[in-house]
């Protein structure tokens, strides 16, 4: 880090991503175990596709969030926001509130939704701070 440069990485975002990295395998295994113990495995085809898409995209989203927050890259941090809020949050919400969901599975999805909400809010504020800092560096001095 250069002298005189502010540190713009978001600690709450980084902590949420860190804990989500540990929760992700538990979420996958827990959802599969609980779903396999019920009569159907993840219900119908739409829920299987949603779960598969979230399971595949979650490691990518976590990596993008980690690297963009630590490197203070606004464009990739915005990619984290788009993946979190526009795709994964509605998908996990649909998985949590489908008919016939078991309480343990609902609890797993609820924790995942909380992670997504916290990462969305913290990611938004980190993006705003980084954008303001970038604008201040390129704004000519008018004194």
């Amino acid at each position: 880090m250069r002298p005189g440069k502010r540190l713009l990485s978001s600690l709450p975002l980084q902590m949420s991503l860190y804990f989500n990295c540990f929760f992700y395998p538990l979420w996958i295994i827990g959802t599969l175990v609980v779903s396999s113990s019920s009569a159907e495995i993840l219900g119908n085809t739409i829920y299987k596709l949603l779960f598969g898409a979230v399971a595949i995209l979650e490691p990518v989203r976590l990596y993008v969030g980690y690297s963009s927050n630590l490197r203070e890259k606004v464009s990739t941090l915005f990619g984290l926001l788009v993946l979190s809020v526009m795709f994964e949050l509605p998908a996990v919400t649909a998985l949590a509130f489908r008919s016939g969901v078991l309480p343990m599975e609902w609890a797993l999805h609820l924790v995942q939704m909380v992670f997504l909400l916290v990462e969305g809010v913290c990611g938004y504020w980190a993006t705003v701070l980084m954008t303001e800092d970038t604008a201040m560096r390129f704004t000519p001095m008018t004194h």
Side-chain angles (χ1 to χ4, degrees), residues 1 5-10 70 72:
M1 191 167 109
K5 184 177 185 278
R6 284 188 350 179
L7 184 62
L8 299 171
S9 296
S10 171
L70 292 177
E72 299 177 358

Side-chain angles (χ1 to χ4, degrees), residues 115-142:
F115 274 125
L116 289 168
L117 286 171
V118 168
E119 290 164 9
V121 170
C122 293
Y124 172 75
W125 286 113
T127 304
V128 167
L129 287 175
M130 288 179 198
T131 305
E132 287 175 355
D133 185 69
T134 303
M136 292 298 290
R137 282 189 291 163
F138 292 109
T139 302
M141 296 296 214
T142 56

Side-chain angles (χ1 to χ4, degrees), residues 19 21 53 100:
F19 291 122
C21 285

Side-chain angles (χ1 to χ4, degrees), residues 3-92:
K5 184 177 185 278
R6 284 188 350 179
L7 184 62
L8 299 171
S9 296
S10 171
L11 181 61
L13 174 62
Q14 200 65 31
M15 288 173 59
S16 179
L17 290 167
Y18 177 80
F19 291 122
N20 199 355
C21 285
F22 287 106
F23 180 71
Y24 169 70
L26 298 174
W27 179 73
I28 294 280
I29 293 168
T31 301
L32 290 174
V33 167
V34 171
S35 296
S36 66
S37 67
S38 65
E40 304 175 13
I41 298 178
L42 287 176
N44 61 20
T45 307
I46 292 175
Y47 295 112
K48 288 178 187 175
L49 290 174
L50 275 177
F51 178 75
V54 171
I56 291 171
L57 284 178
E58 183 70 7
V60 174
R61 188 186 71 81
L62 291 172
Y63 174 75
V64 166
Y66 241 90
S67 64
S68 62
N69 187 37
L70 292 177
R71 294 180 185 160
E72 299 177 358
K73 299 288 184 185
V74 176
S75 57
T76 53
L77 192 58
F78 190 73
L80 168 78
L81 287 173
V82 169
L83 276 175
S84 298
V85 176
M86 301 295 260
F87 175 72
E88 285 203 21
L89 187 60
V92 173

